[in-house]
């Protein structure tokens, strides 16, 4: 089985580090890039064509919801998973067909379950 390619977009370097470690624990995934802002995330999605994108909601340049809309326009098959401290954007997230919405601080096991569901 070919590995699913993952991009992490979060302006918090510590959170990107946590997500990187979790993704490394789950079989079938390869981290291809990280972005610290929305605009860079979109450029990397265009260039690297990941299968899964983790998005923070509040990022510089472009919000996670705006990114998700742009990603859906590029390729609606990309799995979008929001990982954010803000539960107030949940409705917006599911309007753009988010696969899941993780509210920080989340349990590692919860992220692993989401990845396994996406893979299967």
């Amino acid at each position: 089985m070919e590995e699913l390619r993952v991009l992490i977009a979060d302006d918090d370097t510590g959170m990107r580090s946590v997500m990187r470690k979790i993704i490394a624990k789950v079989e079938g995934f390869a981290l291809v890039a990280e972005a610290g802002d929305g605009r860079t995330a979109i450029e990397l999605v265009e260039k690297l064509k990941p299968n899964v994108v983790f998005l923070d909601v509040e990022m510089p340049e472009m919000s996670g919801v705006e990114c998700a809309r742009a990603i859906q326009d590029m390729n609606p098959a990309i799995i979008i998973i929001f990982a954010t401290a803000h539960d107030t954007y949940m409705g917006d997230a599911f309007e753009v067909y988010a696969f899941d919405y993780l509210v920080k601080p989340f349990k590692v096991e919860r992220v692993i379950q989401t990845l396994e569901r996406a893979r299967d």
Side-chain angles (χ1 to χ4, degrees), residues 8 15-24 54 83 106 111:
I8 301 168
M15 184 50 61
R16 289 200 311 267
S17 176
V18 168
M19 295 305 292
R20 189 180 322 121
K21 289 174 184 163
I22 295 171
I23 292 162
F54 280 92
F106 40 73
V111 181

Side-chain angles (χ1 to χ4, degrees), residues 23-65:
I23 292 162
K25 288 182 178 186
V26 185
E27 196 174 316
F29 293 91
L31 181 64
V32 293
E34 297 178 23
D37 65 76
R39 195 161 317 287
T40 303
I42 294 303
E43 291 167 7
L44 289 169
V45 168
E46 284 177 323
K47 189 166 107 179
L48 301 172
K49 306 201 180 336
N51 307 100
V52 179
V53 178
F54 280 92
L55 288 173
D56 186 12
V57 172
E58 292 192 355
M59 292 186 291
E61 304 289 329
M62 201 176 183
S63 78
V65 174

Side-chain angles (χ1 to χ4, degrees), residues 53 55 64-65 68-69 72 76 78-83 89-102 114 117:
V53 178
L55 288 173
V65 174
R69 287 190 182 109
Q72 286 296 300
I78 293 174
I79 296 169
I80 295 172
I81 301 167
F82 283 93
Y89 298 101
M90 201 175 289
D92 294 334
F94 288 111
E95 273 180 29
V96 291
Y97 306 106
F99 183 78
D100 206 346
Y101 194 95
L102 307 169
T114 295
R117 250 184 341 118

